Amino acid sequence: MIKLIDIAKFYETRHGRVRIFDHVNLAIGPGEKVGILGRNGAGKSTLIRLISGAEQPTSGRIERAMSVSWPLAFGGAFQNALTGLDNLRCICRIYGTSPDDKIDFVQEFSELGSYLREPVRTYSAGMRARLAFALSMVVEFDCFLIDEIVAVGDARFSEKCRVELFEKRGDRAMIIVSHDPTYIRAHCNRASALVDGNLHHFDDLDAAFSFYDAAMAAPAVAA
Amino acid sequence: MRVSLRDSLRSSAIEWRVVHALLMREVLTRFGRNNIGFLWLFVEPMLFTLGVTALWTLAKQAHGSNLPIAAFALTGYSAVLLWRNMPSRTIGAIEPNLALMYHRNVKVMDIFLARLILEASGATISFVILSIVFIALGFIAPPEDVLRVIAGWFMLAWFGFSSAVLLGALNEEYQIVEKLWHPSAYLLFPLSGAAFLVDALPVAAQQAVLYLPMVHGVEYVREGYFGSQINAHYDLQYMALCNTVLLLLGMAQLRKISRTIIPE
């Protein structure tokens, strides 16, 4: 179980204190798949970072009774001067697992071949995305946080990712942020919409989308 | 009570795991795998100290005692490298590591610790190797009291560590710290006791210079090295007090900025 209790997040900016959201409550049980809807800049990624613990809320409390992944996104979370293999070793060390039995998996899954031993800065965007996904799969978690992890590489690679994440790890809890309604519909059984700093919960995806579409049709409230 | 002990053991195990991961990463990004690789960790400070020793010897630097200049440069300049390079490594350390902060267990203190352990190790290994070489070649006599040398060195490392945590954390909120640190470090060097013995100064200047904590550490290292030949001035309690205050302020500032950091 993960519980967000009365979470608020404010950012200090040059034009004063900005409210991203407040009075946010959310509970995710084992195996639940929750979609988070929201327009660009609504605070979806901030919410994911708070749940992961990478960032601290301004107020409120987060209880994590199961292990939670870092926010899985394409790009980021690695060091460009190092090789793909060094990045793998670094992540394994941070999470206290051995990299030895994961090298073959990462090399095969990312399709990087001998490039795994070259610095990440020499990789193309596609290669980085494939490496990022492969690295995300080397540590096992009870709950995966997935931030806009949709279009990676070609259709064949997307299918590989789908099998790895949603079939092999189908029993885990997931919190998924995406702009793509079909992606949320395919993988979530409930959704919450982040609109104007409030998180609205829906047990039913159709209800969530009709609320969200109506909110999107209305003009945005200026921050 | 037992639970909280187990929790804190567990979190210190995680802390160490993370610092170890960051340390290995830091070694690779800083020194790479080319030429002598991580040996640069102590070869670079050795080159600095050797260069300064050579320059001071050629210039017949007046330092107010009959000590050989090599002994003077070795103790003085190694000490400068120790306390001065530590803040230089933490100032601006957060920004290039923001991607790593995506991992919940990676804290700002871990990034600082990894860098500071490396920096202190480099300066210490350089000091030890050069001491052995200088002694073997007969440039200087072996230390009269090794324990005092170690204690003085520890005090300097503690001063460097505390200043580094405070300045590194302050810089995250006020970027002016980085701009001011370079000139201050440069100006503090001649005042730090590296290039003079406190005893050689006029009494008024002695009192002024002894406000600087690192002077006490350098004097104590020299007391250990050649105490019978000089009259060292130090107050380790004063230095320990300064180090503690700096460290507490640093931890407070670190706590403050940790709540505002946004991973990239």
Side-chain angles (χ1 to χ4, degrees):
Chain A
M1 196 76 170
I2 302 167
K3 269 188 185 165
L4 277 71
I5 301 152
D6 205 25
I7 295 294
K9 184 69 186 179
F10 291 81
Y11 283 129
E12 300 296 335
T13 68
R14 280 158 173 260
H15 51 276
R17 209 155 187 251
V18 174
R19 179 183 71 126
I20 308 302
F21 42 71
D22 55 10
H23 304 298
V24 165
N25 290 281
L26 182 65
I28 303 116
E32 280 192 280
K33 313 279 188 291
V34 182
I36 307 280
L37 312 173
R39 66 171 85 221
N40 270 333
K44 302 186 298 295
S45 297
T46 302
L47 184 62
I48 287 279
R49 285 198 300 266
L50 294 183
I51 299 171
S52 81
E55 203 176 324
Q56 302 300 314
T58 309
S59 67
R61 198 155 49 90
I62 300 176
E63 291 174 0
R64 297 184 195 83
M66 51 188 181
S67 63
V68 183
S69 78
W70 69 90
L72 309 189
F74 283 110
F78 40 52
Q79 209 67 23
N80 284 336
L82 299 184
T83 68
L85 186 57
D86 289 331
N87 276 288
L88 165 63
R89 289 206 182 100
C90 186
I91 284 180
C92 287
R93 282 194 192 105
I94 289 175
Y95 287 92
T97 68
S98 158
D100 301 331
D101 54 335
K102 281 137 193 143
I103 297 172
D104 289 342
F105 164 79
V106 169
Q107 193 155 20
E108 186 274 324
F109 192 88
S110 64
E111 302 169 11
L112 281 170
S114 58
Y115 275 96
L116 191 61
R117 287 171 171 79
E118 298 293 328
V120 171
R121 72 176 121 77
T122 65
Y123 294 8
S124 69
M127 289 161 84
R128 276 171 209 229
R130 296 203 304 268
L131 175 68
F133 191 92
L135 289 183
S136 303
M137 294 296 110
V138 302
V139 186
E140 293 299 339
F141 296 101
D142 300 328
C143 178
F144 284 92
L145 306 177
I146 299 158
D147 190 353
E148 295 289 355
I149 201 179
V150 191
V152 185
D154 48 26
R156 193 185 48 81
F157 190 77
S158 298
E159 174 58 16
K160 263 173 73 172
C161 294
R162 193 191 63 76
V163 170
E164 197 61 36
L165 188 57
F166 295 107
E167 286 187 9
K168 294 190 184 169
R169 289 167 182 78
D171 57 332
R172 314 300 166 77
M174 291 183 191
I175 301 173
I176 303 175
V177 163
S178 178
H179 289 300
D180 182 357
T182 47
Y183 194 75
I184 299 268
R185 280 187 191 276
H187 302 296
C188 299
N189 36 41
R190 67 182 170 99
S192 299
L194 194 51
V195 176
D196 298 332
N198 300 303
L199 189 64
H200 306 265
H201 303 291
F202 301 92
D203 287 330
D204 170 71
L205 285 176
D206 288 325
F209 275 107
S210 59
F211 173 84
Y212 178 61
D213 290 341
M216 288 292 275
V221 177
Chain B
M1 198 65 207
R2 193 180 295 161
V3 174
S4 73
L5 178 68
R6 194 189 302 149
D7 281 357
S8 61
L9 282 177
R10 207 180 92 83
S11 63
S12 61
I14 293 173
E15 178 100 11
W16 170 241
R17 201 167 79 196
V18 169
V19 171
H20 176 241
L22 296 179
L23 238 147
M24 302 303 285
R25 206 191 107 264
E26 194 69 24
V27 168
L28 282 174
T29 38
R30 252 184 94 186
F31 307 111
R33 291 197 168 88
N34 305 321
N35 57 66
I36 62 169
F38 97 100
L39 296 182
W40 281 117
L41 176 65
F42 54 89
V43 171
E44 193 192 335
M46 275 169 70
L47 292 176
F48 261 106
T49 311
L50 282 173
V52 167
T53 308
L55 275 179
W56 286 5
T57 308
L58 290 173
K60 303 209 172 15
Q61 174 96 357
H63 50 275
S65 79
N66 315 320
L67 292 171
I69 293 173
F72 212 74
L74 174 66
T75 50
Y77 203 73
S78 301
V80 168
L81 287 178
L82 180 63
W83 65 261
R84 195 179 62 179
N85 287 2
M86 285 164 91
S88 301
R89 294 297 304 160
T90 53
I91 293 173
I94 298 172
E95 205 263 321
N97 285 303
L98 277 179
L100 279 163
M101 310 282 299
Y102 255 115
H103 305 287
R104 175 171 60 250
N105 291 331
V106 179
K107 307 283 182 220
V108 177
M109 191 53 170
D110 302 325
I111 290 165
F112 283 2
L113 272 175
R115 288 192 165 199
L116 292 176
I117 289 171
L118 261 190
E119 207 54 49
S121 313
T124 306
I125 296 169
S126 153
F127 180 53
V128 170
I129 291 181
L130 284 178
S131 293
I132 293 171
V133 170
F134 280 17
I135 291 165
L137 292 175
F139 289 176
I140 58 172
E144 291 173 12
D145 186 341
V146 177
L147 281 180
R148 284 193 171 185
V149 176
I150 293 172
W153 191 256
F154 169 79
M155 293 299 286
L156 286 165
W158 180 15
F159 171 71
F161 183 89
S162 306
S163 320
V165 172
L166 176 60
L167 293 171
L170 271 178
N171 185 60
E172 186 60 19
E173 192 172 350
Y174 313 100
Q175 276 80 41
I176 196 171
V177 171
E178 182 169 14
K179 306 280 182 286
L180 293 180
W181 167 247
H182 292 287
S184 333
Y186 190 83
L187 293 172
L188 277 173
F189 165 53
L191 300 174
S192 71
F196 59 81
L197 286 176
V198 173
D199 206 44
L201 299 177
V203 175
Q206 284 183 10
Q207 282 169 350
V209 98
L210 282 170
Y211 278 110
L212 293 172
M214 58 280 196
V215 175
H216 300 264
V218 180
E219 287 281 307
Y220 201 69
V221 167
R222 290 195 170 129
E223 167 87 15
Y225 240 101
F226 20 72
S228 63
Q229 302 170 58
I230 60 169
N231 182 19
H233 297 251
Y234 52 81
D235 178 352
L236 291 188
Q237 275 184 32
Y238 169 75
M239 190 177 179
L241 181 70
C242 292
N243 291 353
T244 309
V245 169
L246 286 171
L247 188 58
L248 289 176
L249 290 174
M251 301 293 275
Q253 178 65 14
L254 199 61
R255 202 180 149 83
K256 187 177 168 201
I257 60 152
S258 292
R259 297 195 66 81
T260 64
I261 287 195
I262 305 165
E264 206 161 57

